[in-house]
Amino acid sequence: MIGRFVARRAATLAMTLLAASVAIYGALFLAPGDPATLLVGGGKEPSPGVLAQIHREYHLDDPFLEGYWRWLTHMLQGDAGQSLSYQDSVTGLLADRAGNTLFLIAYAALLIVTAGITLGTLAGLRGGWIDTAVTVVATTLMAVPVFVMSVVLTWFLAVRLEWLPAYGSGAGFTGRLEHLTLPAVALAASWLAYVAQVTRSAVRAELLSEHVQTARSRGIGQRFIIRKHILRNASAPITSISGVAVAGLIAGSSIVEQAFGLNGVGALLIQSAAKQDLAVVQAVALITVVAFAVINTAVDLLTAALDHRVPLGGRP
Protein backbone atom coordinates (compact mmCIF):
# COMPACT_ATOMS: atom_id res chain seq x y z
CA MET A 1 0.00 0.00 0.00
CA ILE A 2 2.75 2.48 0.94
CA GLY A 3 4.58 1.68 -2.30
CA ARG A 4 1.54 2.54 -4.40
CA PHE A 5 1.04 5.73 -2.35
CA VAL A 6 4.63 6.85 -3.03
CA ALA A 7 4.32 5.95 -6.73
CA ARG A 8 1.05 7.88 -7.02
CA ARG A 9 2.55 10.97 -5.33
CA ALA A 10 5.61 10.76 -7.58
CA ALA A 11 3.40 10.58 -10.68
CA THR A 12 1.34 13.54 -9.45
CA LEU A 13 4.55 15.49 -8.84
CA ALA A 14 5.82 14.74 -12.37
CA MET A 15 2.52 15.82 -13.98
CA THR A 16 2.40 18.97 -11.84
CA LEU A 17 5.91 19.98 -12.86
CA LEU A 18 5.20 19.28 -16.53
CA ALA A 19 2.03 21.38 -16.49
CA ALA A 20 3.83 24.15 -14.58
CA SER A 21 6.69 24.20 -17.09
CA VAL A 22 4.22 24.60 -19.99
CA ALA A 23 2.42 27.41 -18.13
CA ILE A 24 5.66 29.24 -17.26
CA TYR A 25 7.06 29.06 -20.79
CA GLY A 26 3.70 29.81 -22.40
CA ALA A 27 2.88 32.81 -20.21
CA LEU A 28 6.17 34.55 -20.94
CA PHE A 29 6.17 33.43 -24.58
CA LEU A 30 2.85 35.24 -25.02
CA ALA A 31 3.84 38.30 -22.94
CA PRO A 32 3.53 41.68 -24.72
CA GLY A 33 6.62 43.61 -25.82
CA ASP A 34 9.79 42.61 -27.62
CA PRO A 35 12.67 41.53 -25.31
CA ALA A 36 15.09 41.97 -28.23
CA THR A 37 14.87 45.76 -27.78
CA LEU A 38 16.81 45.33 -24.50
CA LEU A 39 19.95 44.62 -26.52
CA VAL A 40 19.58 47.66 -28.75
CA GLY A 41 19.28 50.48 -26.17
CA GLY A 42 20.43 54.04 -26.82
CA GLY A 43 16.90 55.46 -27.05
CA LYS A 44 16.90 55.12 -30.84
CA GLU A 45 14.37 53.27 -32.97
CA PRO A 46 15.84 49.78 -33.38
CA SER A 47 16.71 48.62 -36.87
CA PRO A 48 14.43 45.79 -38.14
CA GLY A 49 17.53 43.96 -39.39
CA VAL A 50 19.22 44.10 -35.98
CA LEU A 51 16.04 42.95 -34.23
CA ALA A 52 15.67 40.06 -36.69
CA GLN A 53 19.27 39.01 -36.03
CA ILE A 54 18.69 39.05 -32.25
CA HIS A 55 15.49 37.04 -32.70
CA ARG A 56 17.39 34.38 -34.67
CA GLU A 57 20.29 34.30 -32.19
CA TYR A 58 18.04 33.88 -29.14
CA HIS A 59 15.37 31.75 -30.91
CA LEU A 60 12.68 34.31 -30.11
CA ASP A 61 10.73 33.52 -33.29
CA ASP A 62 10.69 29.75 -32.91
CA PRO A 63 7.26 28.02 -32.88
CA PHE A 64 5.90 27.39 -29.39
CA LEU A 65 6.43 23.64 -29.20
CA GLU A 66 9.90 23.81 -30.74
CA GLY A 67 10.93 26.60 -28.39
CA TYR A 68 9.38 24.88 -25.36
CA TRP A 69 11.13 21.58 -26.08
CA ARG A 70 14.52 23.30 -26.58
CA TRP A 71 14.09 25.32 -23.38
CA LEU A 72 12.97 22.30 -21.30
CA THR A 73 15.72 19.96 -22.50
CA HIS A 74 18.36 22.64 -21.91
CA MET A 75 16.96 23.30 -18.42
CA LEU A 76 17.13 19.59 -17.59
CA GLN A 77 20.79 19.67 -18.65
CA GLY A 78 21.51 22.64 -16.37
CA ASP A 79 21.62 25.22 -19.18
CA ALA A 80 19.11 28.01 -18.48
CA GLY A 81 20.20 30.09 -21.47
CA GLN A 82 21.61 33.62 -21.77
CA SER A 83 20.35 36.72 -19.98
CA LEU A 84 19.45 39.50 -22.40
CA SER A 85 19.94 42.33 -19.91
CA TYR A 86 23.00 41.01 -18.03
CA GLN A 87 24.65 39.49 -21.14
CA ASP A 88 25.70 36.50 -19.06
CA SER A 89 24.79 32.88 -18.43
CA VAL A 90 21.56 32.56 -16.42
CA THR A 91 23.01 29.56 -14.59
CA GLY A 92 26.00 31.68 -13.53
CA LEU A 93 23.76 34.53 -12.37
CA LEU A 94 21.70 32.15 -10.26
CA ALA A 95 24.78 30.44 -8.81
CA ASP A 96 26.23 33.80 -7.71
CA ARG A 97 23.04 34.69 -5.81
CA ALA A 98 21.82 31.29 -4.59
CA GLY A 99 23.97 31.33 -1.43
CA ASN A 100 22.28 34.41 0.04
CA THR A 101 18.78 33.16 -0.78
CA LEU A 102 19.38 29.66 0.61
CA PHE A 103 20.89 31.10 3.81
CA LEU A 104 17.91 33.46 4.21
CA ILE A 105 15.33 30.70 3.64
CA ALA A 106 17.12 28.26 5.96
CA TYR A 107 17.37 30.94 8.68
CA ALA A 108 13.68 31.82 8.37
CA ALA A 109 12.67 28.13 8.29
CA LEU A 110 14.60 27.50 11.49
CA LEU A 111 12.78 30.38 13.19
CA ILE A 112 9.41 29.12 11.98
CA VAL A 113 9.88 25.52 13.07
CA THR A 114 11.53 26.13 16.44
CA ALA A 115 9.65 29.21 17.64
CA GLY A 116 6.31 28.37 16.00
CA ILE A 117 6.07 24.82 17.32
CA THR A 118 7.41 25.77 20.77
CA LEU A 119 4.97 28.65 21.25
CA GLY A 120 2.03 26.64 19.90
CA THR A 121 2.81 23.67 22.13
CA LEU A 122 3.14 25.87 25.23
CA ALA A 123 -0.14 27.64 24.45
CA GLY A 124 -1.96 24.35 23.86
CA LEU A 125 -0.64 22.60 26.96
CA ARG A 126 -0.59 25.45 29.48
CA GLY A 127 -3.62 27.50 28.42
CA GLY A 128 -4.39 30.59 30.54
CA TRP A 129 -2.46 33.80 29.94
CA ILE A 130 0.19 32.02 27.82
CA ASP A 131 -2.51 30.82 25.43
CA THR A 132 -4.02 34.32 25.29
CA ALA A 133 -0.65 36.00 24.70
CA VAL A 134 0.36 33.56 21.95
CA THR A 135 -3.03 33.91 20.24
CA VAL A 136 -2.91 37.73 20.30
CA VAL A 137 0.67 37.90 19.02
CA ALA A 138 0.03 35.26 16.32
CA THR A 139 -3.14 36.97 15.11
CA THR A 140 -1.29 40.29 14.90
CA LEU A 141 1.65 38.83 12.99
CA MET A 142 -0.65 37.04 10.52
CA ALA A 143 -2.30 40.37 9.68
CA VAL A 144 0.96 42.21 8.90
CA PRO A 145 2.23 41.93 5.28
CA VAL A 146 5.88 41.04 4.72
CA PHE A 147 6.88 44.42 3.29
CA VAL A 148 5.26 46.26 6.23
CA MET A 149 7.09 44.00 8.68
CA SER A 150 10.32 44.75 6.81
CA VAL A 151 9.81 48.50 7.16
CA VAL A 152 8.89 48.28 10.87
CA LEU A 153 11.89 46.10 11.74
CA THR A 154 14.26 48.33 9.79
CA TRP A 155 12.96 51.52 11.42
CA PHE A 156 12.93 50.17 14.99
CA LEU A 157 15.85 47.71 15.27
CA ALA A 158 18.21 49.13 12.66
CA VAL A 159 17.56 52.89 12.62
CA ARG A 160 16.34 53.69 16.16
CA LEU A 161 18.20 51.11 18.25
CA GLU A 162 21.05 50.41 15.78
CA TRP A 163 21.20 46.79 16.91
CA LEU A 164 21.41 45.20 13.48
CA PRO A 165 22.36 46.30 9.95
CA ALA A 166 19.50 47.17 7.64
CA TYR A 167 21.17 46.65 4.29
CA GLY A 168 23.38 44.14 2.49
CA SER A 169 24.11 40.43 2.81
CA GLY A 170 27.34 40.45 4.86
CA ALA A 171 30.37 38.19 4.39
CA GLY A 172 31.18 34.86 6.00
CA PHE A 173 28.87 32.96 8.33
CA THR A 174 28.92 35.53 11.14
CA GLY A 175 28.47 38.46 8.78
CA ARG A 176 25.57 36.79 7.00
CA LEU A 177 23.98 35.85 10.33
CA GLU A 178 24.13 39.47 11.44
CA HIS A 179 22.94 41.01 8.17
CA LEU A 180 20.20 38.45 7.46
CA THR A 181 18.60 38.41 10.93
CA LEU A 182 16.13 41.21 10.20
CA PRO A 183 15.22 39.85 6.72
CA ALA A 184 14.75 36.36 8.17
CA VAL A 185 12.51 37.63 10.98
CA ALA A 186 10.45 39.68 8.49
CA LEU A 187 10.13 36.68 6.18
CA ALA A 188 9.27 34.22 8.96
CA ALA A 189 6.91 36.32 11.09
CA SER A 190 3.54 35.56 9.47
CA TRP A 191 4.34 31.89 8.78
CA LEU A 192 5.63 31.47 12.35
CA ALA A 193 2.24 32.70 13.56
CA TYR A 194 0.39 30.19 11.34
CA VAL A 195 2.52 27.31 12.62
CA ALA A 196 1.98 28.41 16.24
CA GLN A 197 -1.79 28.58 15.77
CA VAL A 198 -2.06 25.21 14.02
CA THR A 199 0.20 23.61 16.64
CA ARG A 200 -1.89 25.08 19.45
CA SER A 201 -5.14 23.80 17.92
CA ALA A 202 -3.70 20.32 17.25
CA VAL A 203 -2.30 20.01 20.77
CA ARG A 204 -5.55 21.17 22.39
CA ALA A 205 -7.59 18.76 20.26
CA GLU A 206 -5.40 15.85 21.36
CA LEU A 207 -5.43 17.09 24.96
CA LEU A 208 -9.22 16.76 25.05
CA SER A 209 -9.39 13.51 23.09
CA GLU A 210 -10.91 10.35 24.51
CA HIS A 211 -7.74 8.26 24.45
CA VAL A 212 -5.84 10.91 26.44
CA GLN A 213 -8.63 11.06 29.04
CA THR A 214 -8.55 7.26 29.25
CA ALA A 215 -4.77 7.28 29.73
CA ARG A 216 -5.11 9.79 32.56
CA SER A 217 -7.84 7.75 34.25
CA ARG A 218 -5.43 4.80 34.25
CA GLY A 219 -2.85 6.84 36.14
CA ILE A 220 -0.30 7.12 33.32
CA GLY A 221 2.22 9.92 33.90
CA GLN A 222 1.60 13.34 32.37
CA ARG A 223 4.99 13.50 30.61
CA PHE A 224 4.43 10.10 28.98
CA ILE A 225 0.94 11.16 27.83
CA ILE A 226 2.29 14.40 26.35
CA ARG A 227 5.16 12.67 24.54
CA LYS A 228 3.45 9.48 23.35
CA HIS A 229 -0.17 10.51 22.87
CA ILE A 230 -0.48 14.27 22.43
CA LEU A 231 2.65 15.38 20.54
CA ARG A 232 2.87 12.20 18.46
CA ASN A 233 -0.73 12.39 17.25
CA ALA A 234 -0.51 16.15 16.71
CA SER A 235 2.65 15.82 14.62
CA ALA A 236 0.81 15.26 11.30
CA PRO A 237 -0.93 18.67 11.01
CA ILE A 238 2.14 20.38 12.49
CA THR A 239 4.38 18.76 9.88
CA SER A 240 1.98 19.69 7.08
CA ILE A 241 1.74 23.39 7.99
CA SER A 242 5.49 23.58 8.65
CA GLY A 243 6.19 22.16 5.18
CA VAL A 244 3.80 24.58 3.51
CA ALA A 245 5.40 27.44 5.46
CA VAL A 246 8.93 26.53 4.38
CA ALA A 247 7.80 26.13 0.77
CA GLY A 248 6.05 29.51 0.94
CA LEU A 249 9.31 31.19 1.98
CA ILE A 250 10.72 30.61 -1.51
CA ALA A 251 8.18 32.94 -3.09
CA GLY A 252 8.18 35.43 -0.21
CA SER A 253 11.94 35.86 -0.29
CA SER A 254 11.66 38.13 -3.37
CA ILE A 255 9.92 40.88 -1.38
CA VAL A 256 12.34 40.68 1.54
CA GLU A 257 15.45 40.65 -0.64
CA GLN A 258 14.24 43.72 -2.49
CA ALA A 259 13.30 45.51 0.76
CA PHE A 260 16.68 44.86 2.45
CA GLY A 261 18.85 45.24 -0.67
CA LEU A 262 20.00 41.61 -0.66
CA ASN A 263 21.81 40.24 -3.68
CA GLY A 264 19.68 37.10 -3.96
CA VAL A 265 17.67 35.10 -6.49
CA GLY A 266 14.39 36.77 -5.45
CA ALA A 267 15.73 40.27 -6.09
CA LEU A 268 17.13 39.04 -9.42
CA LEU A 269 13.64 37.81 -10.36
CA ILE A 270 12.04 41.21 -9.68
CA GLN A 271 14.75 43.11 -11.55
CA SER A 272 14.62 40.72 -14.51
CA ALA A 273 10.83 40.85 -14.73
CA ALA A 274 10.99 44.65 -14.92
CA LYS A 275 13.45 44.37 -17.82
CA GLN A 276 11.52 41.59 -19.64
CA ASP A 277 14.56 39.32 -19.30
CA LEU A 278 12.63 36.17 -20.21
CA ALA A 279 15.38 33.60 -19.73
CA VAL A 280 16.03 34.66 -16.12
CA VAL A 281 12.34 34.93 -15.22
CA GLN A 282 11.56 31.53 -16.73
CA ALA A 283 14.47 29.86 -14.92
CA VAL A 284 13.69 31.37 -11.50
CA ALA A 285 9.96 30.66 -11.85
CA LEU A 286 10.61 27.03 -12.77
CA ILE A 287 13.07 26.54 -9.90
CA THR A 288 10.55 28.06 -7.48
CA VAL A 289 7.76 25.77 -8.66
CA VAL A 290 10.01 22.70 -8.52
CA ALA A 291 11.17 23.50 -4.98
CA PHE A 292 7.60 24.19 -3.81
CA ALA A 293 6.19 20.99 -5.35
CA VAL A 294 9.04 18.77 -4.13
CA ILE A 295 8.82 20.09 -0.56
CA ASN A 296 5.05 19.58 -0.46
CA THR A 297 5.38 16.05 -1.80
CA ALA A 298 8.05 15.27 0.80
CA VAL A 299 5.78 16.66 3.52
CA ASP A 300 2.87 14.48 2.31
CA LEU A 301 5.06 11.39 2.48
CA LEU A 302 6.41 12.36 5.92
CA THR A 303 2.89 13.01 7.22
CA ALA A 304 1.74 9.60 6.00
CA ALA A 305 4.72 7.98 7.72
CA LEU A 306 4.05 9.79 11.01
CA ASP A 307 0.28 9.31 11.15
CA HIS A 308 -1.26 5.94 10.29
CA ARG A 309 -4.70 7.59 10.14
CA VAL A 310 -3.78 9.29 6.83
CA PRO A 311 -5.67 7.43 4.04
CA LEU A 312 -3.01 6.01 1.70
CA GLY A 313 -5.63 5.02 -0.85
CA GLY A 314 -6.42 8.67 -1.60
CA ARG A 315 -9.95 8.40 -0.17
CA PRO A 316 -11.03 9.37 3.35
Side-chain angles (χ1 to χ4, degrees):
M1 183 66 78
I2 186 67
R4 283 192 295 176
F5 178 73
V6 173
R8 188 164 52 250
R9 294 298 295 128
T12 302
L13 174 63
M15 289 188 291
T16 300
L17 295 182
L18 182 62
S21 68
V22 173
I24 290 170
Y25 184 83
L28 294 174
F29 187 88
L30 299 175
D34 186 357
T37 55
L38 286 173
L39 297 180
V40 179
K44 298 180 181 179
E45 186 69 23
S47 162
V50 172
L51 290 179
Q53 182 179 351
I54 295 173
H55 279 214
R56 286 193 299 273
E57 184 177 350
Y58 288 92
H59 305 284
L60 297 178
D61 290 334
D62 287 352
F64 177 81
L65 289 179
E66 181 182 340
Y68 168 73
W69 181 248
R70 177 185 291 106
W71 171 74
L72 184 62
T73 52
H74 285 187
M75 286 292 293
L76 292 175
Q77 296 169 4
D79 179 10
Q82 289 287 317
S83 164
L84 289 173
S85 58
Y86 291 93
Q87 290 290 289
D88 197 358
S89 161
V90 175
T91 305
L93 291 172
L94 296 177
D96 291 341
R97 292 161 172 78
N100 289 333
T101 299
L102 290 175
F103 195 106
L104 173 64
I105 291 175
Y107 197 172
L110 184 65
L111 294 176
I112 289 173
V113 172
T114 55
I117 293 177
T118 301
L119 291 174
T121 303
L122 282 175
L125 291 177
R126 297 292 181 84
W129 70 268
I130 296 179
D131 185 18
T132 302
V134 170
T135 301
V136 170
V137 172
T139 304
T140 303
L141 291 178
M142 283 190 288
V144 179
V146 173
F147 68 91
V148 174
M149 181 63 69
S150 301
V151 173
V152 171
L153 290 175
T154 301
W155 170 77
F156 186 65
L157 296 178
V159 177
R160 292 294 299 273
L161 301 179
E162 299 183 352
W163 285 357
L164 293 165
Y167 193 83
S169 306
F173 180 80
T174 305
R176 278 182 170 173
L177 197 64
E178 183 183 18
H179 280 77
L180 296 182
T181 293
L182 289 184
V185 172
L187 183 59
S190 61
W191 283 114
L192 187 156
Y194 278 112
V195 171
Q197 283 293 78
V198 171
T199 302
R200 169 191 171 276
S201 298
V203 169
R204 290 194 67 80
E206 292 299 328
L207 198 62
L208 300 173
S209 63
E210 185 176 346
H211 68 277
V212 170
Q213 300 300 327
T214 302
R216 282 178 171 166
S217 66
R218 291 178 178 176
I220 298 176
Q222 181 70 0
R223 290 187 178 181
F224 183 86
I225 292 175
I226 292 174
R227 188 173 66 253
K228 292 293 183 180
H229 293 280
I230 297 177
L231 295 182
R232 184 174 182 179
N233 290 335
S235 62
I238 296 172
T239 303
S240 294
I241 188 62
S242 298
V244 171
V246 173
L249 295 177
I250 300 170
S253 64
S254 300
I255 301 171
V256 171
E257 288 181 3
Q258 194 72 4
F260 287 93
L262 304 180
N263 188 27
V265 174
L268 176 66
L269 173 63
I270 293 177
Q271 294 157 10
S272 299
K275 297 176 181 177
Q276 289 186 299
D277 198 340
L278 299 186
V280 177
V281 176
Q282 287 172 330
V284 176
L286 185 63
I287 291 171
T288 301
V289 170
V290 169
F292 190 91
V294 169
I295 290 174
N296 273 300
T297 301
V299 168
D300 286 346
L301 298 177
L302 182 60
T303 301
L306 291 172
D307 191 349
H308 65 277
R309 297 169 297 181
V310 174
L312 300 181
R315 295 178 181 175

